[in-house]
């Protein structure tokens, strides 16, 4: 018996070894080919693909079409799964990979019907570049097919990859709309609900559109909000909910970026320099892919394109970068790109002139391992009905820029051939992309800013929900008579252009940029508090001469200027009210103010958490009447300018604006401190709770959580503590921050600096998995241009004879 038991054990061990060897072989088979020669159908001439030590790709081709075909090949070999996720996320097709767990997310995305819209407007998206888009798609499919086994995530999911289509490149672009804009217009809906339930003066306080931290390119700072008098608002006399339903405000990063430029007048040799770091959710591999494209092009100066920067796998273009003549970068503009329209869907027997016609679309979600789910998506001339009528709230249709024909095109690719600032601005004039603050510099030392991408042209259009919202709770927003107005249209030509010929400096950081009529045209889509922009502006004004290293220093600036006064307030409160034990505990533990969001700072962590807790209690009090009236329908909207109301409240401490949950302002501040103290109590002494302990990197592959705990680290970047935070230029959170950093002068790319987290390859066995990530963490300069080639792959036309 023992003999047979041993034999069975040895057999099982052998089977396990064989299974591991097969798994290893399959994993190795999905690695990108780096060297040698490979046939690629459709090429007009051989293409060279070089990789440096970080995996940065240089493609040398005989034409643009050959270059993007090769780029598609490379993207597929290194990043096909991530490309697939992008198209599926915007189209609402993740359930086809992940099963029932993704149905709810897919349902929310299917409301927007992006695949149907992308297919219907494909010619407009492609324009005259359909040959390049088709070549890219063909290159993607050939790159996928050239792998010895399907990409490893599909092995784990027991799925097969689906071929890439031209429309999928449009869906990759629409995925950025979802990342960068409020696709469900939640903030505007939340504000509309609040406005209907609170006195006008209270709503004005909540929505004051700026602070003393403003640093716009146009106009003066708004300053902090004036406080309403007790005659205008008295929270002591207004209703409030019995329970606390919104104890905390969301502690999240703000999608967007920093960028700025200095003109040639501020450099030793007349070069203009662009700095750009786009803030997004971070993962392994990174969302961007570093590439240099070189090919003949009669449109480009000298008849040749040589462009370096960041590509987005799924699109055949350099998204931000420099071509020797112009350099360009983006930040999210936070323009107002969506509106709600109250509608009355026509029912049986309704006269056409009294209701809104509805077209119903059947959307079927394929679900891995389960039956398909079919949804009915009603749509009006204003847009899809996202919220059905409920109580006194009418049905609401959403009009969003991304839904409109012309919301996305491939014009961005033309930046690669732009020869100077005027040519680049001409490209911007015809480019459709999610609305971005575009900063450009050219080789002549000139700089400019404008919004890139379409904006709503609301002139003479239908009034939308916010404009119809009544002041009194008993009134309702009635649907408009059909045909009495027309919905707004979109245009990429609405933005002004700013050149800053006097200060020779331009900057944006997701905050307000414009003022007056220009701001009215662009709108406020929830732009960020100006503290980060102000810190950048002041850094640019502090010197009269700049180099690339100087601008990198501003990108890495983690000084906590914004929280300085909050630290002082905490210390003052502890001295004034020593009996408040929690405040005293925080003040004692954070007595030393380092003034930076460094990984070792205790004071930064404690003060930051206390400020958020104070904000939450004040916001809860100011919105309490709306919470009481709306109950479960209440949603706390993002209030990025709330600091402009909170600080004067803490300075003046008026009883009529104090939340009724607290007898005094001192009690509110102590309760906030108690929350922070209690949250950290289980982790050890307060004096040892450093910022790096909280701000530790959690940058992982999307499938990391599907692995056993002991294997998960293999799909994650090292869990290192990170310096920086959201209210300073060095934006860094556990899984959010600078998805790239770039400092470059057109014509001087060899002096440029670049960083990228997460690495080039999506394969954990690749030498380029996580390559360069450590330099990003520690802010070590990395050359903008690719280094010496360590690998060379030659792609040859199928009819060419290999040498």
């Amino acid at each position: 018996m023992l003999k047979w038991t041993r034999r069975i054990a040895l057999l099982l061990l052998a089977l396990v070894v064989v299974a591991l060897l097969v798994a290893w072989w399959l994993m190795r088979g999905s690695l990108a080919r780096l060297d040698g020669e490979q046939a690629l159908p459709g090429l007009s001439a051989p293409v060279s693909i070089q990789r440096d030590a970080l995996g940065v790709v240089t493609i040398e081709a005989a034409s643009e079409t050959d270059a993007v075909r090769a780029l598609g090949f490379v993207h597929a070999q290194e990043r096909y799964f991530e490309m697939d996720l992008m198209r599926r996320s915007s189209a609402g097709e993740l359930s086809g990979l992940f099963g029932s767990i993704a149905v709810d997310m897919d349902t929310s995305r299917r409301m927007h019907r992006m695949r149907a819209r992308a297919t219907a407007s494909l010619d407009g998206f492609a324009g005259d570049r359909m040959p390049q888009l088709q070549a890219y798609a063909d290159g993607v499919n050939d790159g996928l097919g050239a792998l010895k086994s399907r990409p490893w995530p599909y092995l784990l999911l027991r799925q097969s990859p689906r071929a890439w289509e031209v429309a999928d490149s449009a869906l990759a672009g629409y995925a950025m709309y979802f990342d960068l804009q409020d696709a469900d217009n939640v903030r505007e809906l939340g504000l509309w609900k609040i406005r209907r339930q609170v006195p006008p003066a209270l709503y004005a306080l909540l929505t004051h559109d700026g602070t003393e931290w403003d640093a716009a390119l146009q106009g003066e700072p708004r300053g902090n909000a004036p406080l309403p008098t007790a005659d205008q608002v008295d929270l002591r006399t207004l209703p409030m909910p019995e329970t606390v339903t919104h104890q905390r405000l969301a502690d999240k990063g703000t999608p967007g970026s920093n960028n700025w430029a200095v003109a040639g007048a501020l450099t030793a040799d007349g070069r203009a320099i662009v700095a750009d770091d786009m803030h997004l959710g971070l993962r392994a591999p990174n969302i961007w892919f570093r590439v240099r494209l070189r090919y003949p092009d009669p449109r480009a100066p000298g008849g040749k394109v040589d462009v370096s920067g960041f590509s987005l796998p799924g699109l055949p273009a350099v998204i931000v970068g420099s071509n020797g003549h112009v350099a360009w970068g983006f930040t999210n503009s936070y323009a107002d790109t969506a509106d709600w329209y109250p509608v009355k869907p026509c029912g049986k027997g309704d006269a056409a002139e009294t209701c809104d016609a509805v077209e119903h679309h059947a959307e079927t979600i394929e679900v891995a391992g389960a039956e398909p789910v079919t949804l009915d998506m009603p749509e009006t001339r204003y847009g899809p009905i996202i919220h059905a009528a409920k109580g006194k709230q009418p049905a609401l249709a959403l009009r969003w820029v991304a839904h409109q024909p012309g919301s996305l095109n491939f014009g961005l690719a033309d930046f690669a051939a732009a020869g100077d600032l005027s040519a680049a601005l001409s490209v911007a004039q015809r480019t459709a992309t999610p609305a971005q603050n575009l900063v450009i510099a050219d080789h002549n030392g000139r700089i400019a800013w404008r919004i890139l991408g379409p904006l709503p042209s609301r002139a003479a259009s239908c009034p939308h929900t916010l404009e119809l919202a009544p002041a009194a709770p008993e009134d309702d927003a009635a649907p408009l008579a059909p045909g009495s107005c027309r919905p707004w249209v979109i245009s990429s030509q609405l933005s002004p252009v700013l050149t800053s010929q006097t200060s020779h400096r331009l900057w944006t950081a997701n905050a307000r940029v414009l003022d007056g009529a220009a701001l009215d045209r662009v709108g406020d889509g929830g732009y960020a508090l100006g503290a980060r922009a102000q810190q950048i502006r002041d850094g640019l004004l502090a010197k009269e001469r700049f180099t690339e290293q100087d601008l990198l220093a501003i990108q890495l600036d983690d000084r906590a200027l914004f929280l300085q006064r909050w630290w002082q307030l905490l210390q003052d409160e502890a001295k004034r009210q020593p009996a408040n034990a929690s405040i005293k505990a925080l003040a004692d533990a954070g007595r030393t103010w380092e003034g930076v969001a460094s990984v070792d700072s205790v004071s930064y962590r404690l003060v930051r958490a206390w400020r958020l807790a104070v904000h939450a209690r004040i916001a809860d009090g100011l919105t309490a009447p709306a919470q009481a009236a709306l109950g479960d329908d209440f949603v706390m909207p993002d209030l990025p300018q709330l600091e402009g109301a909170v600080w004067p409240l803490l300075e003046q401490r008026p009883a009529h604006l104090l939340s009724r949950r607290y007898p005094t302002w001192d009690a509110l501040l102590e309760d906030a401190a108690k929350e922070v103290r209690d949250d950290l109590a289980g982790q050890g002494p307060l004096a040892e709770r450093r910022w790096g302990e909280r701000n530790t990197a959690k940058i992982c592959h999307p499938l990391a959580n599907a692995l056993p705990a002991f294997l998960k680290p293999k799909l994650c970047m090292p869990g290192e503590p990170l310096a920086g935070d959201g209210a300073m230029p060095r934006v860094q959170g556990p899984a959010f921050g600078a998805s790239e950093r770039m400092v470059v002068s057109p014509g001087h790319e060899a002096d440029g600096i670049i960083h990228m987290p997460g690495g080039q390859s999506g394969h954990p066995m690749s030498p380029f998995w996580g390559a360069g990530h450590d330099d990003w963490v520690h802010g070590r300069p990395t050359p903008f241009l690719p280094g010496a080639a360590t690998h060379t792959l030659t792609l040859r036309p199928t009819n060419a004879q290999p040498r």
Side-chain angles (χ1 to χ4, degrees), residues 292-366:
R292 183 178 190 178
L293 302 177
R294 306 180 75 181
Y295 53 86
D297 191 327
R299 302 171 304 158
K304 185 176 178 64
V305 162
D306 184 353
V307 60
S308 298
F310 295 93
S311 67
L312 178 68
L315 285 170
V318 171
I319 305 301
V320 298
S322 183
N323 69 1
H325 307 280
V326 296
W328 67 99
F330 305 147
T331 70
N332 198 18
S333 70
Y334 283 88
D336 183 4
T337 59
D339 288 324
W340 291 108
Y341 287 83
V343 295
K344 179 184 177 183
C346 291
K348 188 176 181 180
D350 285 337
E353 63 273 11
T354 65
C355 61
D356 293 285
V358 176
E359 184 176 0
H360 291 268
H361 301 277
E363 290 279 324
T364 299
I365 299 174
E366 300 295 332

Side-chain angles (χ1 to χ4, degrees), residues 199 201-202 228-239 621 625 654-658 660:
L202 179 52
T229 65
D231 291 338
Q232 295 172 304
V233 179
D234 193 336
L235 295 181
R236 296 168 296 188
T237 66
L238 296 175
H656 64 284
L657 296 176
L658 172 66
R660 288 170 57 191

Side-chain angles (χ1 to χ4, degrees), residues 38 40 162 169 199 224 250 285 351 373 406 442 504 525 531 553 588 593 676 737 758 769:
Q38 172 80 44
L40 184 62
R162 191 177 68 202
S169 287
N224 293 332
V373 175
D442 77 0
H504 308 293
D588 288 346
W593 178 245
V676 176
W769 169 264

Side-chain angles (χ1 to χ4, degrees), residues 258-307:
N258 301 318
N259 69 4
W260 58 89
V262 294
L266 299 181
T267 62
D269 58 3
R271 69 178 69 180
I273 312 174
V274 165
D276 183 73
D277 49 300
M278 298 184 284
H279 307 151
L280 293 167
L282 303 179
R283 68 184 190 200
N286 189 33
I287 186 173
W288 308 113
F289 186 87
R290 288 185 59 192
V291 67
R292 183 178 190 178
L293 302 177
R294 306 180 75 181
Y295 53 86
D297 191 327
R299 302 171 304 158
K304 185 176 178 64
V305 162
D306 184 353
V307 60

Side-chain angles (χ1 to χ4, degrees), residues 21-226:
L21 287 173
V22 170
W24 178 86
W25 181 81
L26 290 172
M27 282 283 288
R28 293 285 303 175
S30 62
L31 280 167
R33 184 170 182 179
L34 306 181
D35 295 291
E37 294 190 357
Q38 172 80 44
L40 184 62
L43 288 178
S44 67
V47 175
S48 169
I49 298 175
Q50 298 179 347
R51 287 173 169 86
D52 70 2
L54 296 179
V56 181
V57 168
T58 297
I59 294 177
E60 294 260 9
S63 69
E64 181 186 19
T65 303
D66 282 356
V68 297
R69 188 182 299 273
L71 182 61
F73 182 94
V74 172
H75 278 168
Q77 292 229 315
E78 298 282 18
R79 299 284 195 88
Y80 193 79
F81 180 68
E82 290 73 29
M83 294 167 61
D84 194 10
L85 291 186
M86 287 194 73
R87 66 174 173 181
R88 286 177 180 271
S89 67
S90 62
E93 297 171 351
L94 290 170
S95 300
L97 278 181
F98 299 109
S100 300
I101 193 172
V103 168
D104 287 346
M105 181 176 179
D106 280 350
T107 299
S108 68
R109 293 292 170 91
R110 283 296 179 95
M111 292 180 179
H112 302 280
R113 301 182 58 248
M114 282 310 191
R115 182 169 287 282
R117 298 183 197 279
T119 302
S121 59
L122 189 57
D123 289 342
F125 166 70
D128 61 359
R129 288 185 164 272
M130 184 60 81
Q132 287 77 31
L133 285 161
Q134 187 61 61
Y136 177 80
D138 293 341
V140 167
N141 292 322
D142 288 331
L144 179 64
L147 295 172
K148 294 178 181 178
S149 63
R150 56 189 155 165
W152 68 268
Y154 298 97
L155 298 172
L156 186 63
L157 294 169
R158 291 180 293 176
Q159 298 283 348
S160 296
R162 191 177 68 202
W164 193 262
E165 301 173 3
V166 172
D168 294 330
S169 287
L171 288 170
Y174 282 120
M176 298 310 295
Y177 262 104
F178 283 105
D179 275 353
L180 297 170
Q181 296 184 3
D182 182 358
D184 296 321
N185 210 18
V186 173
R187 178 176 178 271
E188 190 168 302
L189 181 61
L191 290 174
W192 174 63
K193 289 181 176 182
I194 291 173
R195 182 178 174 181
R196 301 173 75 200
Q197 306 298 337
V198 302
L202 179 52
Y203 183 79
L205 178 64
L206 281 166
T207 58
H208 183 68
D209 66 344
T211 71
E212 62 194 286
W213 297 94
D214 293 348
L217 295 179
Q218 274 189 350
E220 297 299 317
R222 293 284 192 268
N224 293 332

